[in-house]
Amino acid sequence: MDVEHDRPQVGFTSELGLHVAVGDEPETLAGHAEIAPELCIPEAGTLRPSVLLTWADILTGSLANERTLPKICMTVDLGVRVAGPIAAGSEIAAVGRILKSGRTVSFTETTFSAAGAEGRDEIVAISLGTFVASPRPQDTAISAFAAVTTRERATRRPPATVAEMLGSSVVAPGVVEVPRSPRILNWADTVQGGAVAAAAEEAVLALDGPSVPVELEVRYLGAVRVGPMRAIARRFGEWMRVEVHDVGNDDRLVAVATARGA
């Protein structure tokens, strides 16, 4: 979860084109975006699951954070399943909500909808997530939900492709490295969860043979504090398993992801 502090919101999550506002239902956050080509898998022209996952992190992570204040909440896991191809130029609406919340743990859901063939909104993707209050006393936060109660939080149009924003490079088939750059850091100066997910997806796309991910799940095990970040994907039939390491921090394992190709 990436929470805004007093400094301006810049970087990766604010460049993905999601506009956030208070939802129509109580205690929900809503988002909408036009699917820019920069957010799509180049060969397929369809929206990257990692972008949906990052949008879900923004919406439901903000809601989960309200339950743990003044402690910040951390993303434990996020997953997204896509019902069908979401093409460039589509309009997407999202609603994030808390399914269940205790003193330290929140379970969340984000639904993504688009206009169907008859003009009716149809759910095109669903994301489930888990968030937990940080155990470190120094990890405090302010309310991100309050920031959108009086005005819509607008973001910029993607200025580059996701790979370009990450600064990723293919080291070998299925192996990608991403430098620890200011563009992908959160308030704690560690790599944003959405950037970790995108790096894992980049490793899947770097495998030999065609693969268009339609499912992506990430388990966050630690933070990328040094870099570079290295994602290593292996294929198991239609499934791929990805490990993400903080190379400069004794090659520490920081996330494990799974993806399924169409």
Side-chain angles (χ1 to χ4, degrees), residues 51-84:
V51 172
L52 290 168
L53 188 148
T54 304
W55 287 344
D57 194 30
I58 293 170
L59 296 175
T60 58
S62 297
L63 293 170
N65 192 67
E66 295 299 305
R67 308 299 178 97
T68 60
L69 289 173
K71 290 186 176 181
I72 192 171
C73 73
M74 304 187 303
T75 312
V76 177
D77 57 64
L78 274 171
V80 63
R81 289 170 172 80
V82 183

Side-chain angles (χ1 to χ4, degrees), residues 92-202:
I92 290 289
V95 178
R97 57 178 58 86
I98 300 288
L99 296 179
K100 184 177 181 181
S101 182
R103 294 182 61 186
T104 58
V105 180
S106 294
F107 301 94
T108 69
E109 179 182 50
T110 305
T111 54
F112 297 92
S113 303
E118 298 180 2
R120 294 176 297 185
D121 286 348
E122 297 178 355
I123 292 178
V124 293
I126 295 176
S127 172
L128 298 175
T130 308
F131 298 85
V132 65
S134 173
R136 305 196 315 169
Q138 67 269 36
D139 289 346
T140 60
I142 62 173
S143 173
F145 187 79
V148 295
T149 55
T150 57
R151 62 179 177 84
E152 181 177 308
R153 189 183 76 184
T155 61
R156 66 190 73 176
R157 177 184 172 86
T161 67
V162 171
E164 290 169 338
M165 285 189 276
L166 289 176
S168 63
S169 59
V170 177
V171 177
V175 182
V176 167
E177 281 199 357
V178 177
R180 181 183 172 277
S181 67
R183 192 175 201 170
I184 62 171
L185 298 184
N186 59 23
W187 67 272
D189 288 329
T190 61
V191 174
Q192 297 167 348
V196 173
E201 188 179 65
E202 279 293 294

